[in-house]
Amino acid sequence: MRASDDSDSLDQATRDFMAARPRLFGIAYRVLGSAAEAEDIVQDAWLRWQKTDRAVVQEPAAFLATVTTRLAINCAQSARVRRESYTGPWLPEPVDTRADPQLGAERAEVLDMAVLFLLEKLKPAERAAYVLREAFDYPYQQIADILETSEANARQSVSRARKRLSAERREPVSSNVHRRLLEAFVGAARTGDLSALEKLLTADVVSYADSAGKRGASKIPVVGRPHVSKTLVAYAPRFWPETEIRWVEANGRPAALVTAHGDPVALLTADVSERGIERVMWVVSPAKLAPYVASLDK
């Protein structure tokens, strides 16, 4: 083959890859809950694509999705071991969804922080099957081919995931209602208004703070309306003075970025149903905050 042919082949490979890249990142991110790990997976998929005999690949997008999904599952299996020794609660790494509300998906629902948090409880293969079906609307037979299983098993995996999520999460409210309740929550938390907090929180609310061991954040989930509200009131004089709130979007939902003297302190997100605030999620880890804040400033 002439050098020009090699160049043409690589140019076409690059075009095929770049066309598929948003979806590849979207798959990997939803399976892993980590933008950094998803980027690594996408880069690995690109390296493998370059080394592949592309002449025998009839559908580059399908091939790349298969490679990416399998790499993500392998990564998720090793990540589960790492997260078992994680200091304090683990939360997904937030992403700024203003430019791409769906992150390459046909359906945006499987992008919510609360959904990604619950997906972490599933086995990696089940998680991948659910993501491929619910976010990208892949046919069950194609999901089976990607996961190297039967169509019946693929259907069962998606069904189990749906049941698990529906059992642990109530129907979310609209973005407008979500924003209104989150604003009210921030206002009550900043002033230490116990009565207002108790009205906003559900009876079985859980508050998670992902700090990766950073001092000052709870290393265990805080459970129940009385405990969560009283903890917020106790923290108010220490946490909120000299802070500012920047209203942002994270994973398709309203969020509050808390800064102090211009430096990010925490990203506050919540899972909100018609009952009220079901989960409060504080991303405090500098490793997760920094990329998100950088994306806001682009």
Side-chain angles (χ1 to χ4, degrees), residues 39-66:
E39 287 288 1
D40 290 342
I41 292 297
V42 172
Q43 181 62 24
D44 196 353
W46 165 240
L47 294 175
R48 295 187 181 216
W49 179 233
Q50 291 180 75
K51 299 175 182 177
T52 296
D53 181 3
R54 296 183 296 275
V56 301
V57 177
Q58 295 183 348
E59 298 183 29
F63 176 88
L64 289 165
T66 298

PDB file of all heavy atoms in Angstrom, residues 39-66:
ATOM      1  N   GLU A  39     -12.653   9.561  29.800  1.00  0.00           N
ATOM      2  CA  GLU A  39     -11.696  10.087  28.819  1.00  0.00           C
ATOM      3  C   GLU A  39     -10.591   9.076  28.555  1.00  0.00           C
ATOM      4  O   GLU A  39     -10.153   8.907  27.410  1.00  0.00           O
ATOM      5  CB  GLU A  39     -11.098  11.405  29.315  1.00  0.00           C
ATOM      6  CG  GLU A  39     -12.051  12.586  29.265  1.00  0.00           C
ATOM      7  CD  GLU A  39     -12.326  13.072  27.841  1.00  0.00           C
ATOM      8  OE1 GLU A  39     -11.795  12.489  26.881  1.00  0.00           O
ATOM      9  OE2 GLU A  39     -13.096  14.041  27.701  1.00  0.00           O
ATOM     10  N   ASP A  40     -10.128   8.412  29.598  1.00  0.00           N
ATOM     11  CA  ASP A  40      -9.094   7.385  29.425  1.00  0.00           C
ATOM     12  C   ASP A  40      -9.603   6.244  28.556  1.00  0.00           C
ATOM     13  O   ASP A  40      -8.867   5.714  27.701  1.00  0.00           O
ATOM     14  CB  ASP A  40      -8.647   6.846  30.787  1.00  0.00           C
ATOM     15  CG  ASP A  40      -7.843   7.867  31.585  1.00  0.00           C
ATOM     16  OD1 ASP A  40      -7.346   8.839  30.982  1.00  0.00           O
ATOM     17  OD2 ASP A  40      -7.726   7.693  32.816  1.00  0.00           O
ATOM     18  N   ILE A  41     -10.860   5.856  28.779  1.00  0.00           N
ATOM     19  CA  ILE A  41     -11.450   4.768  27.996  1.00  0.00           C
ATOM     20  C   ILE A  41     -11.551   5.163  26.527  1.00  0.00           C
ATOM     21  O   ILE A  41     -11.225   4.385  25.623  1.00  0.00           O
ATOM     22  CB  ILE A  41     -12.840   4.403  28.554  1.00  0.00           C
ATOM     23  CG1 ILE A  41     -12.718   3.773  29.941  1.00  0.00           C
ATOM     24  CG2 ILE A  41     -13.576   3.475  27.592  1.00  0.00           C
ATOM     25  CD1 ILE A  41     -11.960   2.472  29.982  1.00  0.00           C
ATOM     26  N   VAL A  42     -12.003   6.374  26.275  1.00  0.00           N
ATOM     27  CA  VAL A  42     -12.139   6.845  24.897  1.00  0.00           C
ATOM     28  C   VAL A  42     -10.781   6.892  24.199  1.00  0.00           C
ATOM     29  O   VAL A  42     -10.642   6.526  23.034  1.00  0.00           O
ATOM     30  CB  VAL A  42     -12.820   8.227  24.867  1.00  0.00           C
ATOM     31  CG1 VAL A  42     -12.782   8.824  23.465  1.00  0.00           C
ATOM     32  CG2 VAL A  42     -14.267   8.112  25.336  1.00  0.00           C
ATOM     33  N   GLN A  43      -9.762   7.326  24.930  1.00  0.00           N
ATOM     34  CA  GLN A  43      -8.414   7.362  24.360  1.00  0.00           C
ATOM     35  C   GLN A  43      -7.920   5.955  24.046  1.00  0.00           C
ATOM     36  O   GLN A  43      -7.298   5.720  22.999  1.00  0.00           O
ATOM     37  CB  GLN A  43      -7.457   8.057  25.336  1.00  0.00           C
ATOM     38  CG  GLN A  43      -6.021   8.180  24.847  1.00  0.00           C
ATOM     39  CD  GLN A  43      -5.886   9.020  23.583  1.00  0.00           C
ATOM     40  OE1 GLN A  43      -6.736   9.861  23.298  1.00  0.00           O
ATOM     41  NE2 GLN A  43      -4.836   8.790  22.822  1.00  0.00           N
ATOM     42  N   ASP A  44      -8.208   5.018  24.927  1.00  0.00           N
ATOM     43  CA  ASP A  44      -7.817   3.622  24.704  1.00  0.00           C
ATOM     44  C   ASP A  44      -8.554   3.060  23.489  1.00  0.00           C
ATOM     45  O   ASP A  44      -7.970   2.328  22.667  1.00  0.00           O
ATOM     46  CB  ASP A  44      -8.149   2.791  25.952  1.00  0.00           C
ATOM     47  CG  ASP A  44      -7.431   1.448  25.972  1.00  0.00           C
ATOM     48  OD1 ASP A  44      -6.785   1.097  24.965  1.00  0.00           O
ATOM     49  OD2 ASP A  44      -7.496   0.748  27.004  1.00  0.00           O
ATOM     50  N   ALA A  45      -9.830   3.422  23.352  1.00  0.00           N
ATOM     51  CA  ALA A  45     -10.596   2.963  22.188  1.00  0.00           C
ATOM     52  C   ALA A  45      -9.993   3.509  20.888  1.00  0.00           C
ATOM     53  O   ALA A  45      -9.942   2.804  19.870  1.00  0.00           O
ATOM     54  CB  ALA A  45     -12.057   3.404  22.323  1.00  0.00           C
ATOM     55  N   TRP A  46      -9.537   4.751  20.924  1.00  0.00           N
ATOM     56  CA  TRP A  46      -8.902   5.351  19.740  1.00  0.00           C
ATOM     57  C   TRP A  46      -7.624   4.607  19.369  1.00  0.00           C
ATOM     58  O   TRP A  46      -7.376   4.324  18.191  1.00  0.00           O
ATOM     59  CB  TRP A  46      -8.609   6.823  20.012  1.00  0.00           C
ATOM     60  CG  TRP A  46      -7.653   7.470  19.058  1.00  0.00           C
ATOM     61  CD1 TRP A  46      -6.463   8.045  19.373  1.00  0.00           C
ATOM     62  CD2 TRP A  46      -7.798   7.623  17.636  1.00  0.00           C
ATOM     63  NE1 TRP A  46      -5.854   8.545  18.241  1.00  0.00           N
ATOM     64  CE2 TRP A  46      -6.653   8.302  17.157  1.00  0.00           C
ATOM     65  CE3 TRP A  46      -8.782   7.237  16.723  1.00  0.00           C
ATOM     66  CZ2 TRP A  46      -6.469   8.602  15.813  1.00  0.00           C
ATOM     67  CZ3 TRP A  46      -8.592   7.545  15.368  1.00  0.00           C
ATOM     68  CH2 TRP A  46      -7.450   8.223  14.932  1.00  0.00           C
ATOM     69  N   LEU A  47      -6.814   4.269  20.356  1.00  0.00           N
ATOM     70  CA  LEU A  47      -5.578   3.547  20.083  1.00  0.00           C
ATOM     71  C   LEU A  47      -5.874   2.171  19.477  1.00  0.00           C
ATOM     72  O   LEU A  47      -5.192   1.731  18.548  1.00  0.00           O
ATOM     73  CB  LEU A  47      -4.766   3.391  21.370  1.00  0.00           C
ATOM     74  CG  LEU A  47      -4.224   4.694  21.977  1.00  0.00           C
ATOM     75  CD1 LEU A  47      -3.541   4.425  23.310  1.00  0.00           C
ATOM     76  CD2 LEU A  47      -3.260   5.386  21.015  1.00  0.00           C
ATOM     77  N   ARG A  48      -6.892   1.517  19.995  1.00  0.00           N
ATOM     78  CA  ARG A  48      -7.257   0.207  19.460  1.00  0.00           C
ATOM     79  C   ARG A  48      -7.832   0.326  18.045  1.00  0.00           C
ATOM     80  O   ARG A  48      -7.613  -0.545  17.211  1.00  0.00           O
ATOM     81  CB  ARG A  48      -8.261  -0.471  20.396  1.00  0.00           C
ATOM     82  CG  ARG A  48      -7.659  -0.797  21.753  1.00  0.00           C
ATOM     83  CD  ARG A  48      -8.587  -1.600  22.619  1.00  0.00           C
ATOM     84  NE  ARG A  48      -7.972  -1.864  23.920  1.00  0.00           N
ATOM     85  CZ  ARG A  48      -8.115  -2.984  24.621  1.00  0.00           C
ATOM     86  NH1 ARG A  48      -8.853  -3.963  24.129  1.00  0.00           N
ATOM     87  NH2 ARG A  48      -7.536  -3.137  25.782  1.00  0.00           N
ATOM     88  N   TRP A  49      -8.566   1.395  17.810  1.00  0.00           N
ATOM     89  CA  TRP A  49      -9.141   1.629  16.481  1.00  0.00           C
ATOM     90  C   TRP A  49      -8.042   1.817  15.442  1.00  0.00           C
ATOM     91  O   TRP A  49      -8.146   1.329  14.313  1.00  0.00           O
ATOM     92  CB  TRP A  49     -10.050   2.846  16.550  1.00  0.00           C
ATOM     93  CG  TRP A  49     -10.720   3.276  15.285  1.00  0.00           C
ATOM     94  CD1 TRP A  49     -10.697   4.529  14.735  1.00  0.00           C
ATOM     95  CD2 TRP A  49     -11.552   2.498  14.418  1.00  0.00           C
ATOM     96  NE1 TRP A  49     -11.448   4.576  13.590  1.00  0.00           N
ATOM     97  CE2 TRP A  49     -11.980   3.333  13.359  1.00  0.00           C
ATOM     98  CE3 TRP A  49     -11.949   1.160  14.421  1.00  0.00           C
ATOM     99  CZ2 TRP A  49     -12.800   2.889  12.336  1.00  0.00           C
ATOM    100  CZ3 TRP A  49     -12.771   0.710  13.383  1.00  0.00           C
ATOM    101  CH2 TRP A  49     -13.190   1.564  12.364  1.00  0.00           C
ATOM    102  N   GLN A  50      -6.962   2.486  15.818  1.00  0.00           N
ATOM    103  CA  GLN A  50      -5.856   2.695  14.888  1.00  0.00           C
ATOM    104  C   GLN A  50      -5.192   1.371  14.508  1.00  0.00           C
ATOM    105  O   GLN A  50      -4.711   1.213  13.380  1.00  0.00           O
ATOM    106  CB  GLN A  50      -4.807   3.622  15.511  1.00  0.00           C
ATOM    107  CG  GLN A  50      -5.273   5.058  15.686  1.00  0.00           C
ATOM    108  CD  GLN A  50      -4.192   5.920  16.295  1.00  0.00           C
ATOM    109  OE1 GLN A  50      -3.238   6.283  15.619  1.00  0.00           O
ATOM    110  NE2 GLN A  50      -4.334   6.237  17.570  1.00  0.00           N
ATOM    111  N   LYS A  51      -5.150   0.440  15.476  1.00  0.00           N
ATOM    112  CA  LYS A  51      -4.469  -0.829  15.248  1.00  0.00           C
ATOM    113  C   LYS A  51      -5.372  -1.897  14.627  1.00  0.00           C
ATOM    114  O   LYS A  51      -4.906  -2.988  14.292  1.00  0.00           O
ATOM    115  CB  LYS A  51      -3.899  -1.348  16.574  1.00  0.00           C
ATOM    116  CG  LYS A  51      -2.874  -0.415  17.204  1.00  0.00           C
ATOM    117  CD  LYS A  51      -2.448  -0.931  18.572  1.00  0.00           C
ATOM    118  CE  LYS A  51      -1.461   0.029  19.243  1.00  0.00           C
ATOM    119  NZ  LYS A  51      -1.081  -0.424  20.599  1.00  0.00           N
ATOM    120  N   THR A  52      -6.655  -1.583  14.501  1.00  0.00           N
ATOM    121  CA  THR A  52      -7.618  -2.556  13.982  1.00  0.00           C
ATOM    122  C   THR A  52      -7.526  -2.669  12.462  1.00  0.00           C
ATOM    123  O   THR A  52      -7.227  -1.696  11.765  1.00  0.00           O
ATOM    124  CB  THR A  52      -9.049  -2.128  14.382  1.00  0.00           C
ATOM    125  OG1 THR A  52      -9.169  -2.156  15.800  1.00  0.00           O
ATOM    126  CG2 THR A  52     -10.102  -3.032  13.762  1.00  0.00           C
ATOM    127  N   ASP A  53      -7.792  -3.853  11.943  1.00  0.00           N
ATOM    128  CA  ASP A  53      -7.917  -4.029  10.497  1.00  0.00           C
ATOM    129  C   ASP A  53      -9.274  -3.457  10.098  1.00  0.00           C
ATOM    130  O   ASP A  53     -10.298  -4.159  10.082  1.00  0.00           O
ATOM    131  CB  ASP A  53      -7.829  -5.516  10.136  1.00  0.00           C
ATOM    132  CG  ASP A  53      -7.931  -5.742   8.627  1.00  0.00           C
ATOM    133  OD1 ASP A  53      -8.020  -4.743   7.873  1.00  0.00           O
ATOM    134  OD2 ASP A  53      -7.951  -6.915   8.204  1.00  0.00           O
ATOM    135  N   ARG A  54      -9.299  -2.171   9.808  1.00  0.00           N
ATOM    136  CA  ARG A  54     -10.562  -1.465   9.589  1.00  0.00           C
ATOM    137  C   ARG A  54     -11.247  -1.867   8.286  1.00  0.00           C
ATOM    138  O   ARG A  54     -12.433  -1.587   8.089  1.00  0.00           O
ATOM    139  CB  ARG A  54     -10.314   0.050   9.621  1.00  0.00           C
ATOM    140  CG  ARG A  54      -9.822   0.536  10.992  1.00  0.00           C
ATOM    141  CD  ARG A  54      -9.658   2.041  11.026  1.00  0.00           C
ATOM    142  NE  ARG A  54      -8.626   2.502  10.110  1.00  0.00           N
ATOM    143  CZ  ARG A  54      -7.318   2.553  10.396  1.00  0.00           C
ATOM    144  NH1 ARG A  54      -6.887   2.128  11.584  1.00  0.00           N
ATOM    145  NH2 ARG A  54      -6.447   3.011   9.521  1.00  0.00           N
ATOM    146  N   ALA A  55     -10.514  -2.525   7.402  1.00  0.00           N
ATOM    147  CA  ALA A  55     -11.103  -2.950   6.133  1.00  0.00           C
ATOM    148  C   ALA A  55     -12.218  -3.976   6.343  1.00  0.00           C
ATOM    149  O   ALA A  55     -13.117  -4.114   5.500  1.00  0.00           O
ATOM    150  CB  ALA A  55     -10.023  -3.526   5.224  1.00  0.00           C
ATOM    151  N   VAL A  56     -12.170  -4.695   7.455  1.00  0.00           N
ATOM    152  CA  VAL A  56     -13.186  -5.731   7.704  1.00  0.00           C
ATOM    153  C   VAL A  56     -14.302  -5.219   8.611  1.00  0.00           C
ATOM    154  O   VAL A  56     -15.237  -5.960   8.929  1.00  0.00           O
ATOM    155  CB  VAL A  56     -12.537  -6.988   8.333  1.00  0.00           C
ATOM    156  CG1 VAL A  56     -11.461  -7.541   7.414  1.00  0.00           C
ATOM    157  CG2 VAL A  56     -11.957  -6.682   9.704  1.00  0.00           C
ATOM    158  N   VAL A  57     -14.224  -3.973   9.038  1.00  0.00           N
ATOM    159  CA  VAL A  57     -15.251  -3.402   9.914  1.00  0.00           C
ATOM    160  C   VAL A  57     -16.321  -2.738   9.055  1.00  0.00           C
ATOM    161  O   VAL A  57     -16.052  -1.758   8.357  1.00  0.00           O
ATOM    162  CB  VAL A  57     -14.647  -2.363  10.885  1.00  0.00           C
ATOM    163  CG1 VAL A  57     -15.746  -1.726  11.739  1.00  0.00           C
ATOM    164  CG2 VAL A  57     -13.594  -3.023  11.771  1.00  0.00           C
ATOM    165  N   GLN A  58     -17.528  -3.272   9.084  1.00  0.00           N
ATOM    166  CA  GLN A  58     -18.604  -2.737   8.253  1.00  0.00           C
ATOM    167  C   GLN A  58     -19.255  -1.497   8.872  1.00  0.00           C
ATOM    168  O   GLN A  58     -19.669  -0.588   8.150  1.00  0.00           O
ATOM    169  CB  GLN A  58     -19.660  -3.823   8.022  1.00  0.00           C
ATOM    170  CG  GLN A  58     -19.143  -5.013   7.216  1.00  0.00           C
ATOM    171  CD  GLN A  58     -20.233  -6.043   6.953  1.00  0.00           C
ATOM    172  OE1 GLN A  58     -21.309  -6.002   7.543  1.00  0.00           O
ATOM    173  NE2 GLN A  58     -19.940  -6.990   6.061  1.00  0.00           N
ATOM    174  N   GLU A  59     -19.374  -1.459  10.209  1.00  0.00           N
ATOM    175  CA  GLU A  59     -20.016  -0.340  10.885  1.00  0.00           C
ATOM    176  C   GLU A  59     -19.071   0.202  11.967  1.00  0.00           C
ATOM    177  O   GLU A  59     -19.062  -0.297  13.089  1.00  0.00           O
ATOM    178  CB  GLU A  59     -21.339  -0.767  11.515  1.00  0.00           C
ATOM    179  CG  GLU A  59     -22.365  -1.249  10.512  1.00  0.00           C
ATOM    180  CD  GLU A  59     -23.689  -1.606  11.170  1.00  0.00           C
ATOM    181  OE1 GLU A  59     -24.010  -1.006  12.217  1.00  0.00           O
ATOM    182  OE2 GLU A  59     -24.377  -2.488  10.647  1.00  0.00           O
ATOM    183  N   PRO A  60     -18.265   1.198  11.642  1.00  0.00           N
ATOM    184  CA  PRO A  60     -17.299   1.732  12.599  1.00  0.00           C
ATOM    185  C   PRO A  60     -17.935   2.182  13.917  1.00  0.00           C
ATOM    186  O   PRO A  60     -17.386   1.917  14.991  1.00  0.00           O
ATOM    187  CB  PRO A  60     -16.683   2.917  11.844  1.00  0.00           C
ATOM    188  CG  PRO A  60     -16.825   2.550  10.406  1.00  0.00           C
ATOM    189  CD  PRO A  60     -18.131   1.837  10.309  1.00  0.00           C
ATOM    190  N   ALA A  61     -19.084   2.837  13.859  1.00  0.00           N
ATOM    191  CA  ALA A  61     -19.718   3.337  15.085  1.00  0.00           C
ATOM    192  C   ALA A  61     -20.092   2.182  16.004  1.00  0.00           C
ATOM    193  O   ALA A  61     -19.894   2.257  17.229  1.00  0.00           O
ATOM    194  CB  ALA A  61     -20.951   4.164  14.746  1.00  0.00           C
ATOM    195  N   ALA A  62     -20.626   1.108  15.431  1.00  0.00           N
ATOM    196  CA  ALA A  62     -21.008  -0.052  16.238  1.00  0.00           C
ATOM    197  C   ALA A  62     -19.775  -0.735  16.817  1.00  0.00           C
ATOM    198  O   ALA A  62     -19.766  -1.150  17.985  1.00  0.00           O
ATOM    199  CB  ALA A  62     -21.807  -1.037  15.385  1.00  0.00           C
ATOM    200  N   PHE A  63     -18.736  -0.854  16.009  1.00  0.00           N
ATOM    201  CA  PHE A  63     -17.488  -1.455  16.483  1.00  0.00           C
ATOM    202  C   PHE A  63     -16.911  -0.654  17.646  1.00  0.00           C
ATOM    203  O   PHE A  63     -16.521  -1.206  18.680  1.00  0.00           O
ATOM    204  CB  PHE A  63     -16.485  -1.527  15.332  1.00  0.00           C
ATOM    205  CG  PHE A  63     -15.131  -2.037  15.726  1.00  0.00           C
ATOM    206  CD1 PHE A  63     -14.854  -3.395  15.710  1.00  0.00           C
ATOM    207  CD2 PHE A  63     -14.134  -1.157  16.125  1.00  0.00           C
ATOM    208  CE1 PHE A  63     -13.594  -3.879  16.086  1.00  0.00           C
ATOM    209  CE2 PHE A  63     -12.884  -1.623  16.506  1.00  0.00           C
ATOM    210  CZ  PHE A  63     -12.612  -2.983  16.483  1.00  0.00           C
ATOM    211  N   LEU A  64     -16.853   0.672  17.497  1.00  0.00           N
ATOM    212  CA  LEU A  64     -16.274   1.530  18.525  1.00  0.00           C
ATOM    213  C   LEU A  64     -17.110   1.517  19.800  1.00  0.00           C
ATOM    214  O   LEU A  64     -16.564   1.549  20.909  1.00  0.00           O
ATOM    215  CB  LEU A  64     -16.135   2.953  17.989  1.00  0.00           C
ATOM    216  CG  LEU A  64     -15.049   3.146  16.933  1.00  0.00           C
ATOM    217  CD1 LEU A  64     -15.231   4.475  16.210  1.00  0.00           C
ATOM    218  CD2 LEU A  64     -13.665   3.064  17.580  1.00  0.00           C
ATOM    219  N   ALA A  65     -18.425   1.453  19.658  1.00  0.00           N
ATOM    220  CA  ALA A  65     -19.298   1.380  20.831  1.00  0.00           C
ATOM    221  C   ALA A  65     -19.066   0.082  21.595  1.00  0.00           C
ATOM    222  O   ALA A  65     -19.060   0.056  22.830  1.00  0.00           O
ATOM    223  CB  ALA A  65     -20.763   1.504  20.424  1.00  0.00           C
ATOM    224  N   THR A  66     -18.864  -0.996  20.846  1.00  0.00           N
ATOM    225  CA  THR A  66     -18.602  -2.294  21.479  1.00  0.00           C
ATOM    226  C   THR A  66     -17.285  -2.261  22.244  1.00  0.00           C
ATOM    227  O   THR A  66     -17.216  -2.686  23.413  1.00  0.00           O
ATOM    228  CB  THR A  66     -18.560  -3.401  20.408  1.00  0.00           C
ATOM    229  OG1 THR A  66     -19.835  -3.477  19.766  1.00  0.00           O
ATOM    230  CG2 THR A  66     -18.227  -4.750  21.034  1.00  0.00           C
TER     231      THR A  66
END
